[in-house]
Each structure stands twice: as structure tokens, then as C-alpha cells.
Amino acid sequence: MQLNDTQLKNVLENSKNIAVIGLSANPEKTSHRIAAFLQEKGYRVFPVNPVLAGQEVLGEKVYASLAEVPEPIDIVDIFRRSEFLPDIAKEFVKTDAKVYWAQLGIENEEAAKILEEHQKAYIMDRCIKIEYQRLLED
């Protein structure tokens, strides 16, 4: 189920742990800047990137997959191309993570169907930083 603004605000206010799939170690990349913003706002960020697994980004250990993250996840924030969303959705539904969030410019109908079939909350084609600023800082 795609979330509306009221639900989105509730998710942002009540979430603590955010897994960031595709988080880059490069501070110039959008994923890195947004993850740093989330940390500044008090969220715990769990980087997920198989290429960087075992290393540290933003002071946090990087995990190879969502399944490896040792803490409960509230939001899975995705910085991967749209064609990767169905596989990430399949991995997501096997976890207890609450909200699947595909960043601005990223959406996929097949992934949405998988999430709908499993009655999972999701957001696509929206930036978590923009939504945070719009819903919580105005």
C-alpha cells in the first residue's frame, strides 16, 4: 500500500533505524549526503552495499544484504536503479522491515505488485530528505 502524507509523517516521526541500500562511500553522491542528513536528524543508518561490505561508511558497518542487518529496520531507503527494485522487494518481504522507500526517480510496477501482494507499506519516486523537510520542518 502506497502511503499518504499523514502515514508518511507518522513513519518519519516514529522510525529509528533506516537501512540505506546502495549507500556510497563517496561524500559527493546523493546516497551519502542523504544518509548523513538522516543521521543528523537522529536516525541510525545501516549501510547496505555488497561491494563495501565489512567496511565503514558514516561510522557504521556496511552489510552485504538487508538480511544481514542485525537490528530491526523501520525504513529501507533504496538508492538503486529501478530495474533492481523487484529483487530488493523480494528480499524486503522476507524481513520485518516496515517501509520500503525508493528514492526520487526510482519506481517499478513489478516491485509495487510484490509489495502489495505481501501487504507491505511502500513509497516510490520520493526523496526521504525532501519529505522529511516538507512534513516535519514546515
Side-chain angles (χ1 to χ4, degrees):
M1 73 203 144
Q2 182 97 289
L3 299 182
N4 64 34
D5 278 358
T6 304
Q7 294 166 318
L8 207 51
K9 184 176 181 185
N10 187 39
V11 164
L12 290 169
E13 286 176 331
N14 295 299
S15 295
K16 291 176 179 52
N17 294 339
I18 302 177
V20 180
I21 295 182
L23 180 57
S24 172
N26 180 347
E28 300 300 311
K29 296 281 189 182
T30 304
S31 63
H32 191 97
R33 291 197 317 268
I34 289 177
F37 169 86
L38 293 170
Q39 283 183 324
E40 287 167 21
K41 296 301 175 185
Y43 296 103
R44 174 101 187 267
V45 170
F46 294 87
V48 178
N49 184 331
V51 176
L52 302 174
Q55 298 177 39
E56 274 195 12
V57 175
L58 294 169
E60 295 286 351
K61 178 183 173 189
V62 181
Y63 298 92
S65 69
L66 197 51
E68 289 180 21
V69 177
E71 308 255 343
I73 296 299
D74 298 305
I75 300 171
V76 176
D77 191 15
I78 304 155
F79 289 88
R80 297 289 317 274
R81 292 195 314 266
S82 296
E83 64 262 29
F84 294 109
L85 293 184
D87 285 341
I88 296 168
K90 289 172 190 167
E91 185 180 9
F92 176 87
V93 299
K94 293 177 187 171
T95 73
D96 291 332
K98 294 181 183 87
V99 179
Y100 178 100
W101 192 311
Q103 277 296 129
L104 196 59
I106 307 169
E107 56 189 330
N108 182 292
E109 236 178 88
E110 184 187 344
K113 281 182 189 162
I114 293 164
L115 296 163
E116 291 280 353
E117 285 168 9
H118 290 86
Q119 300 176 345
K120 294 290 190 175
Y122 68 92
I123 295 123
M124 290 192 193
D125 191 25
R126 310 258 297 264
C127 174
I128 196 167
K129 179 181 178 187
I130 292 169
E131 297 304 319
Y132 183 96
Q133 291 170 325
R134 183 174 72 86
L135 296 168
L136 301 181
E137 292 182 350
D138 283 345

